[in-house]
Structures are given as C-alpha cells and as structure tokens.
Amino acid sequence: MKTGTKNILLLAGVILLAVLPLLFVNAEFGGADGVAEEMIKTIQPSYEPWFSSLLKPPPETESMLFALQAAVGAGFIGYVIGLFRGKASKSKPQ
C-alpha cells in the first residue's frame, strides 16, 4: 500500500473517531466540577463555597481551552519522542 493511501486512511479514521461519538451520543457533556458540587449539596445542604470565580466563561470556551491544553500536551510529547528518535538515528553508524 502506498504511503499516501495509508495517510488518507489514517486521516479518515481519526476524523471518524472524532465525529462518530458526537453523532451517536445524545448526552450533554458535563464536567466533574458540577457533579461534585451537586454531591456536596446533597450531603450537606448548608455548605457554602469559600470563594467564587472572578470570570465565568461560557461552557464552549471552557471546552475549547481544555482541548487546547490537550493539544499542546500531545504536541509536546510528540516533539520529545521525535527528538529522541532523531538523536537515536543520528548516533547509529550508517
């Protein structure tokens, strides 16, 4: 199989893995913070938080920032792996 065909199939697989869960899961994506807050209020209804956020971004912004954080982390890990692999290939005698 040619390299270009492999790349196209891999790209199609990644796109399907990203899109299919969004199409077939009919649930609202909620964070763990909201679930924890509900549980605390159930256990102790008189609980008052110590402080509240100064900025309350919309949920879309929070999701985007989380995805950006994951992308930066994955990019860093990929860079480090590539760096080590490149160093290892340079040190081998040809």
Side-chain angles (χ1 to χ4, degrees):
M1 187 180 291
K2 292 182 181 179
T3 304
T5 307
K6 284 183 185 178
N7 289 341
I8 290 172
L9 287 174
L10 283 172
L11 182 63
V14 168
I15 290 172
L16 283 174
L17 284 173
V19 172
L20 288 178
L22 296 175
L23 295 176
F24 291 116
V25 176
N26 293 329
E28 183 177 325
F29 293 106
D33 294 341
V35 175
E37 184 179 351
E38 289 175 15
M39 184 60 72
I40 290 170
K41 289 194 184 257
T42 302
I43 294 170
Q44 178 126 15
S46 63
Y47 175 76
E48 297 268 337
W50 293 358
F51 62 92
S52 61
S53 277
L54 298 176
L55 299 173
K56 182 69 176 155
E60 298 85 17
T61 305
E62 290 179 1
S63 297
M64 186 237 359
L65 289 173
F66 182 74
L68 178 65
Q69 179 184 5
V72 168
F76 177 76
I77 290 170
Y79 173 77
V80 170
I81 290 172
L83 183 69
F84 287 148
R85 193 163 184 192
K87 284 183 179 180
S89 69
K90 282 184 180 178
S91 65
K92 288 183 182 178
Q94 295 185 6

